[in-house]
Amino acid sequence: MHVLFSVTLVVYLIAVIAYFTGTAFKHEKLTKYAFIMFIAATVAHVVYFFWRWWAKFDLLDLTLLNAAPIRGAFEYSMAFALGISIVVILARPKMPWISSVGMPATALMMAFAATRNMDIHDLMPALRSPWFFVHAGTGVVAYAAFAVAAVAGIKYLQMLKKNEDEDGKTMIQIDRMSYRAIVFGMLFFTVTIISGSLWAADAWSRFWFWDPKELWSLITWIFYAIYLHQRLRKNWRGKRCAILAIVGVGLVLFTWLGVNNLLYGLHSYS
């Protein structure tokens, strides 16, 4: 299983290097082959994801949903990367620009996953709940959506630096994709917070503990709520929203990794 993960990571990295080499030397065939390699890596990634899911279900005394590989830094970042890669593949026919930022983002997240402990661990009794899949699963989807929004924001600023017209078709397309990804992410992130509160009430008889993870999740939610509110204003488009999308994913990363490593709380095991 670890061999398949390593092969997937290597193919992702080769695809990214080949893509940027082809782009730099304007070699269209090389960029085309690079994207085919990226698709192949994503297929292997999907196989690995479900293989690990089945292995956990088979090895541990877990329900199928509780065996989902979305717990811990390794599994979360691996699933995170898979979400980004799927979006890149699905969006590329209409938005070719997404490859230049989405492909390296996927490879970087997979490289980060490779630095984490890949061993399969049993779930703590507190996590053996029907709420686990809803809470953790919607969190993965939300984080991946916010990452896609940030990727679009980075591309927007790159093109703006090249003096692209903000009213041009591609720039408007990038801006809208970032906005839609945040709307999509907020829907799932709201479910993440609500399901976590219901789970806490079921497990500990309280909906909210002001745990560091809960607090920073709320801060992140409020940040994106402000983004969506400001987006309704006519002059809040383009550059401002691109910057906010990038800052937002920084909050997401701190909520996900920073809190676990720097602040102790009820979620320190996650």
Side-chain angles (χ1 to χ4, degrees):
M1 190 189 297
H2 292 343
V3 171
L4 178 58
F5 175 85
S6 299
V7 170
T8 302
L9 173 58
V10 169
V11 176
Y12 271 134
L13 293 172
I14 292 173
V16 170
I17 293 169
Y19 181 85
F20 281 102
T21 301
T23 301
F25 291 97
K26 297 182 180 179
H27 198 297
E28 290 187 10
K29 279 190 176 181
L30 184 56
T31 56
K32 181 181 177 181
Y33 292 147
F35 194 70
I36 291 172
M37 281 191 289
F38 184 80
I39 293 173
T42 302
V43 171
H45 198 159
V46 170
V47 171
Y48 175 81
F49 182 85
F50 285 103
W51 186 5
R52 188 177 179 92
W53 192 335
W54 179 256
K56 290 180 70 177
F57 176 69
D58 190 43
L59 292 171
L60 307 174
D61 183 24
L62 299 172
T63 64
L64 186 60
L65 292 182
N66 279 345
I70 50 176
R71 183 246 167 177
F74 170 74
E75 291 184 347
Y76 222 76
S77 51
M78 181 269 297
F80 198 162
L82 180 59
I84 298 173
S85 66
I86 290 173
V87 170
V88 171
I89 292 170
L90 294 178
R92 190 176 185 271
K94 291 185 177 180
M95 293 174 275
W97 54 266
I98 199 170
S99 301
S100 63
V101 279
M103 287 172 63
T106 301
L108 284 172
M109 189 55 63
M110 281 291 279
F112 171 76
T115 67
R116 306 291 95 184
N117 188 346
M118 291 187 281
D119 293 338
I120 291 177
H121 297 288
D122 200 358
L123 281 180
M124 295 173 60
L127 297 180
R128 290 173 177 261
S129 165
W131 289 111
F132 169 77
F133 183 77
V134 178
H135 181 62
T138 54
V140 170
V141 175
Y143 285 3
F146 293 145
V148 169
V151 160
I154 292 169
K155 185 62 180 178
Y156 190 94
L157 295 181
Q158 285 179 346
M159 294 186 69
L160 195 63
K161 195 173 181 180
K162 295 178 181 177
N163 297 318
E164 291 284 343
D165 182 8
E166 288 196 77
D167 294 322
K169 182 180 177 180
T170 301
M171 297 290 277
I172 292 174
Q173 186 185 62
I174 296 171
D175 180 58
R176 286 178 178 171
M177 181 180 180
S178 181
Y179 167 66
R180 289 170 181 169
I182 288 176
V183 171
F184 183 78
M186 273 292 280
L187 290 173
F188 278 85
F189 197 47
T190 301
V191 174
T192 302
I193 292 175
I194 292 173
S195 61
S197 297
L198 293 173
W199 188 1
D202 184 46
W204 300 311
S205 302
R206 279 180 60 185
F207 287 99
W208 198 263
F209 286 85
W210 295 105
D211 175 74
K213 178 78 82 172
E214 293 174 344
L215 177 60
W216 279 94
S217 293
L218 180 61
I219 291 171
T220 302
W221 189 92
I222 291 172
F223 176 87
Y224 281 111
I226 292 172
Y227 168 95
L228 294 177
H229 173 75
Q230 291 297 105
R231 180 82 189 192
L232 296 175
R233 298 174 62 179
K234 190 174 181 180
N235 61 332
W236 275 82
R237 294 286 190 280
K239 183 179 179 180
R240 288 180 176 180
C241 287
I243 293 172
L244 287 180
I246 297 167
V247 172
V249 86
L251 280 175
V252 165
L253 291 173
F254 183 79
T255 301
W256 170 37
L257 295 172
V259 170
N260 286 354
N261 293 307
L262 300 175
L263 303 173
Y264 179 79
L266 292 170
H267 291 76
S268 295
Y269 52 76
S270 60

